[in-house]
Amino acid sequence: MLDLSFCTDADAAFLLKSVPGEIAQNTVYGLLFGLAYNAHTTGTIDAWGLRDIGWKAYADDPDASPEHWGLNLDLAIETHIDGFATIIDVDTAVSETLTELAPFADALPDVLKCG
């Protein structure tokens, strides 16, 4: 733990590989989705940043719960960029996404919450 607490970002992934045990993907996704929700609601990332996180999570594990939120948000934004939807459609997709992600944000430890 001391090595991890004082390491650089570049060394963190290397050192984490040496930690014994199994990776609990549900916990990892829960933290990621909660942090994504928090980052969007505090203005740290916009809809496109939220989409990128969701899309990468979907590409990594399409069955991660909540299922397909990244893909759904990606399609809403891409459709808007191509001119077939309005910004209201994107706002609706973001609102629906945030509703799905809110329970993950509620479960975040206080130390990880912004604001």
Side-chain angles (χ1 to χ4, degrees):
M1 288 305 293
L2 286 174
D3 287 343
L4 283 170
S5 63
F6 292 107
C7 74
T8 64
D9 291 345
D11 293 334
F14 174 77
L15 289 171
L16 284 171
K17 289 179 184 178
S18 66
V19 175
E22 297 288 321
I23 296 173
Q25 285 301 113
N26 289 343
T27 302
V28 172
Y29 284 123
L31 289 170
L32 174 65
F33 298 161
L35 290 169
Y37 175 94
N38 203 9
H40 182 73
T41 57
T42 59
T44 306
I45 59 172
D46 59 9
W48 283 257
L50 190 62
R51 172 201 61 179
D52 291 346
I53 292 168
W55 176 244
K56 288 177 182 167
Y58 171 79
D60 185 48
D61 183 359
D63 297 323
S65 181
E67 292 181 27
H68 309 300
W69 72 270
L71 179 61
N72 293 340
L73 189 55
D74 188 46
L75 292 174
I77 289 175
E78 290 305 317
T79 301
H80 170 68
I81 291 171
D82 291 340
F84 298 109
T86 65
I87 194 65
I88 294 170
D89 296 325
V90 173
D91 288 345
T92 300
V94 169
S95 176
E96 290 169 357
T97 295
L98 292 177
T99 299
E100 290 185 63
L101 299 182
F104 296 100
D106 293 340
L108 280 177
D110 288 338
V111 71
L112 295 178
K113 294 180 181 179
C114 296

